[in-house]
Amino acid sequence: MLDKKGIAKRIAQELRNGWYVNLGIGIPTLVANYVPENINVVFQSENGILGMGPFPYDGEEDADMINAGKQTITALPGAVIFDSATSFAMIRGKHIQLTVLGAMEVSQNGDIANWKIPGKMVKGMGGAMDLVASADNIIVAMMHTNKRGISKLLKACTLPITGVKCVKKVVTNLAVLDITPDGFKLVERAPGVTVAEIQEATEGKLIVEGEIPEMVLE
Amino acid sequence: MNKVVENAEKAIEGIIDNMTLMLGGFGLCGIPENCISALVNSKIKGLTCISNNAGVDDFGIGLLLQNHQVKKMISSYVGENDEFERQMLSGELEVDLIPQGSLAARCYMGGAGVPAFFTPAGYGTEVAQGKEIRYFDGKPHLLESALTADFAIVKAWKGDTMGNLIYKGTARNFNPAMAMAGKITIAEVEELVEPGELDPNFIHTPGVFVQRIFQGVNYEKRIEQKTVRQKA
């Protein structure tokens, strides 16, 4: 089974040279720590920066330099700052090649819910609705089940959705799954996790074809 | 042409109960701290505030919420503000949550004289309720209306007496789009300079969008999530 860092490491393997990438709050943010050595990508934060670098050294933080999670950040050489309208022009206009975001639920047809629990919790959608409505390549990073052990990979979302038929791939602590017209296609198992355990934790339709390889993480 | 006013109190003159305000900033980054303080002291109430977030409980727009001066918030994210969430869930506060990119575009379009536009964001969600859907290239889009405000209040790094503005870092965020969309736009800046001191090639907001400007004082510039790495 993977921890949050492991999920981020596995998603980092999906990065391709030259891509502009938007990382959401939470596990997705960790992906930046595991970019393979031979891969060059540029990270966008939707509050208005391309070329986001690592956190600043203690004492060098600047209140005017934050990411969309309101964390203090630095800018890499070649970085550029812009306003929110321009930032979402990049997103809406499909100039960003990969979006990684967290979710409360994903359905087998690629719907995602991650902004609201009616009557209980309202965080707001932030930029997530814009991202999922326009991005061609969306990977969800999340735990396979919630804190009560209930599957987050469902036949249909029960929470208010953020976008329809948009998620392409899900990476969880248990597995890598592709969203296909027929359901969640199991692509890889996390180290030490069996197909039966993944089946048990997946409420939506799980497609298992042949031997399912175990993930290879460095 | 001189748009300079003395301070935040003078800048907000004319703002009265039940007006609609735009306030720049993302989280606590790039918020007009001086004008928010002046609004808190003014006791003006019934405000509709258009702002990406609502600050935190004890800073930014959160101060206006605590004072019950806000009737309605139009925002995209309320995550870090417990009082906001409480007032929203209890129904004390009217809240219109809209996708962040749509919010930015609605302000920009409001300032640019485009009354409405189509965007894919929010299709199939609660956000789409009651909105016209039209297909372009086979893909569904929502008709979103532009936003304007009685007053837009923005924060910049440097500005000149003609209202030309330069922002610093990611404190730019919603400020340029909102500066365009105010019937009256107030800019508070960290450094106010004479015309000619800012390089025209590097101005972010042309002064034509700004009606009042002043040099702010005592900026706190709070950091919401201080995240650092250790030197190796």
Side-chain angles (χ1 to χ4, degrees):
Chain A
M1 200 187 302
L2 300 177
D3 59 5
K4 289 178 179 179
K5 284 180 183 171
I7 295 173
K9 267 188 196 173
R10 177 59 190 82
I11 290 174
Q13 294 176 3
E14 302 292 319
L15 300 172
R16 297 292 174 268
N17 237 346
W19 276 4
Y20 290 89
V21 179
N22 182 290
L23 301 177
I25 296 167
I27 302 174
T29 306
L30 302 174
V31 173
N33 299 334
Y34 304 107
V35 182
E37 252 178 44
N38 54 338
I39 297 288
N40 241 308
V41 294
V42 176
F43 290 112
Q44 189 219 31
S45 196
E46 66 268 22
N47 58 317
I49 181 170
L50 276 173
M52 179 172 41
F55 297 140
Y57 290 117
D58 201 0
E60 292 176 10
E61 65 277 5
D62 177 355
D64 292 329
M65 282 296 288
I66 64 167
N67 63 19
K70 286 101 179 174
Q71 296 172 309
T72 45
I73 54 159
T74 58
L76 293 172
V80 54
I81 305 273
F82 36 85
D83 76 289
S84 299
T86 306
S87 185
F88 282 92
M90 294 173 195
I91 290 165
R92 212 183 293 107
K94 297 179 185 287
H95 304 282
I96 304 295
Q97 281 77 31
L98 174 65
T99 292
V100 184
L101 72 178
M104 300 176 196
E105 295 177 346
V106 174
S107 75
Q108 64 193 30
N109 68 346
D111 293 355
I112 176 172
N114 68 355
W115 72 284
K116 182 180 185 180
I117 302 173
K120 249 188 174 170
M121 188 282 291
V122 186
K123 294 281 180 213
M125 65 290 280
M129 279 191 188
D130 309 270
L131 282 158
V132 301
S134 293
D136 287 325
N137 191 5
I138 299 171
I139 300 178
V140 164
M142 66 177 190
M143 304 310 274
H144 211 99
T145 56
N146 68 20
K147 282 175 189 146
R148 289 170 295 140
I150 295 167
S151 180
K152 295 169 72 171
L153 290 94
L154 307 174
K155 290 190 181 71
C157 290
T158 63
L159 296 169
I161 61 169
T162 310
V164 292
K165 295 183 188 167
C166 52
V167 178
K168 295 289 184 293
K169 192 185 277 294
V170 183
V171 178
T172 74
N173 52 327
L174 303 183
V176 177
L177 309 105
D178 282 342
I179 307 276
T180 71
D182 302 317
F184 296 109
K185 184 167 192 279
L186 185 56
V187 179
E188 290 174 21
R189 296 172 292 112
V193 176
T194 66
V195 171
E197 285 167 328
I198 295 163
Q199 181 68 70
E200 176 69 27
T202 308
E203 193 246 24
K205 189 177 175 201
L206 186 72
I207 301 160
V208 182
E209 285 173 2
E211 277 299 300
I212 306 298
E214 191 170 284
M215 288 176 206
V216 179
L217 295 174
E218 280 175 25
Chain B
M1 190 177 291
N2 188 336
K3 299 176 178 177
V4 178
V5 293
E6 200 183 327
N7 53 33
E9 285 67 33
K10 295 281 185 209
I12 67 162
E13 271 181 12
I15 298 180
I16 56 170
D17 290 357
N18 303 311
M19 274 190 169
T20 296
L21 308 182
M22 282 182 186
L23 296 120
F26 187 100
L28 299 179
C29 184
I31 60 171
E33 293 182 19
N34 281 224
C35 284
I36 291 171
S37 288
L39 286 168
V40 169
N41 293 332
S42 76
K43 309 279 197 295
I44 295 161
K45 58 185 192 305
L47 294 170
T48 294
C49 292
I50 303 170
S51 185
N52 186 57
N53 314 79
V56 293
D57 285 291
D58 62 347
F59 203 57
I61 296 175
L63 297 169
L64 292 168
L65 289 170
Q66 279 195 350
N67 256 359
H68 298 275
Q69 290 174 274
V70 183
K71 178 179 67 184
K72 180 178 181 180
M73 282 298 312
I74 300 176
S75 303
S76 86
Y77 193 78
V78 300
E80 286 83 24
N81 190 322
D82 294 338
E83 177 65 10
F84 185 122
E85 203 167 341
R86 191 197 65 72
Q87 288 190 17
M88 173 165 55
L89 291 171
S90 72
E92 288 164 59
L93 181 70
E94 209 182 317
V95 179
D96 197 359
L97 283 171
I98 53 183
Q100 196 171 113
S102 298
L103 179 61
R106 289 175 74 178
C107 296
Y108 177 88
M109 294 303 177
V114 179
F117 60 95
F118 283 96
T119 177
Y123 172 75
T125 75
E126 285 180 13
V127 167
Q129 282 168 13
K131 288 177 184 157
E132 183 185 337
I133 309 282
R134 201 181 292 180
Y135 284 75
F136 296 93
D137 292 328
K139 197 176 162 174
H141 293 73
L142 310 185
L143 182 66
E144 290 280 8
S145 59
L147 290 168
T148 56
D150 296 307
F151 283 80
I153 308 175
V154 301
K155 154 80 195 328
W157 179 38
K158 292 183 180 179
D160 67 24
T161 57
M162 295 179 75
N164 296 305
L165 305 176
I166 294 176
Y167 307 91
K168 179 169 155 279
T170 58
R172 193 181 320 182
N173 55 63
F174 278 83
N175 285 299
M178 289 183 171
M180 295 167 66
K183 292 188 187 98
I184 294 174
T185 292
I186 302 165
E188 56 172 87
V189 298
E190 291 178 52
E191 193 183 343
L192 184 62
V193 301
E194 291 301 316
E197 289 186 47
L198 302 179
D199 184 336
N201 290 296
F202 297 99
I203 287 168
H204 300 129
T205 292
V208 68
F209 295 118
V210 176
Q211 281 69 46
R212 301 176 188 176
I213 188 166
F214 70 97
Q215 183 167 303
V217 293
N218 302 326
Y219 281 104
E220 269 192 59
K221 290 201 185 183
R222 278 202 212 170
I223 292 174
E224 254 180 271
Q225 308 275 346
K226 179 177 159 178
T227 42
V228 296
R229 66 187 150 138
Q230 300 308 320
K231 280 191 175 146

